[in-house]
Amino acid sequence: MDRPPRPDDRPELVVFDFDGTLVDSDEALLAPFDLLGVDRRDVIMGSAVAEECERLGVSMEAYVDAYDTEIVRPFPGVEEMLERIPRWAILSNKHPASATAELDRLGWSPEVVLCADAFGWAHKSLRPLLELLDLTPADVVLVGDSDGDVRCAREVGCRFVWAGWNTR
């Protein structure tokens, strides 16, 4: 049986949410909905892209086509932070095409990137990542900016850190 993580344990892997955690992407995420006629006040940030598009009655393909992968920027200090972390991964509700384009543009190479398609287009989960890398919840810490991220950490019992640099 796995022991619960202790606060002083160093994680084997730091898992980051992408949007709103590593990159300031609110405008990039909302602008396609604007173009598709959806009031941005109706958008629930942190949702899985397919689920949110379905809920709002828009095509996910149209949303992805309207998404601008050139405008997101890392939050201040994030690039320096990532350089100091030996092992890190990304767990995201984002469409994989958008994530790949942004990661390539930023020159970031996380050990693993799991996007919405890895979860059957439903909300993300840490379970597939833990299985893929043969890690336990005690081996990882999840860094995120939403209640959905907290839910992911609680689901498996790993530590969670709020991305306090996101003022939202």
Side-chain angles (χ1 to χ4, degrees):
M1 183 162 110
D2 295 330
R3 67 170 177 77
R6 293 187 305 256
D8 59 339
D9 286 345
R10 278 199 116 119
E12 177 77 22
L13 180 76
V14 180
V15 182
F16 291 95
D17 168 57
F18 193 29
D19 289 314
T21 298
L22 294 177
V23 294
D24 188 356
S25 57
D26 285 3
E27 186 58 32
L29 294 168
L30 292 169
F33 286 117
D34 292 340
L35 293 171
L36 297 169
V38 174
D39 187 325
R40 57 177 53 202
R41 293 174 296 190
D42 294 334
V43 177
I44 300 172
M45 299 300 281
S47 299
V49 65
E51 290 178 340
E52 193 63 0
C53 286
E54 182 178 338
R55 186 182 74 77
L56 295 169
V58 298
S59 156
M60 181 174 63
E61 291 75 22
Y63 175 87
V64 172
D65 287 346
Y67 185 91
D68 183 353
T69 61
E70 296 295 317
I71 64 174
V72 302
R73 297 287 176 257
F75 283 105
V78 163
E79 291 181 300
E80 296 82 4
M81 174 186 66
L82 293 176
E83 290 173 5
R84 299 182 68 201
I85 298 175
R87 291 184 73 193
W88 63 283
I90 290 179
L91 190 71
S92 178
N93 284 320
K94 188 179 205 94
H95 193 282
S98 303
T100 300
E102 289 172 343
L103 289 168
D104 288 348
R105 182 177 56 79
L106 293 167
W108 292 352
S109 300
E111 186 171 331
V112 174
V113 178
L114 293 181
C115 292
D117 60 327
F119 315 108
W121 301 102
H123 198 279
K124 64 190 175 192
S125 169
L126 270 166
R127 290 186 198 286
L129 182 69
L130 295 175
E131 291 171 15
L132 179 68
L133 297 176
D134 195 29
L135 295 172
T136 70
D139 297 326
V140 303
V141 61
L142 176 62
V143 181
D145 72 306
S146 72
D147 291 338
D149 297 329
V150 173
R151 195 169 57 245
C152 284
R154 285 185 179 154
E155 174 186 56
V156 299
C158 77
R159 291 166 284 179
F160 180 80
V161 175
W162 280 102
W165 49 86
N166 182 340
T167 57
R168 177 174 38 82

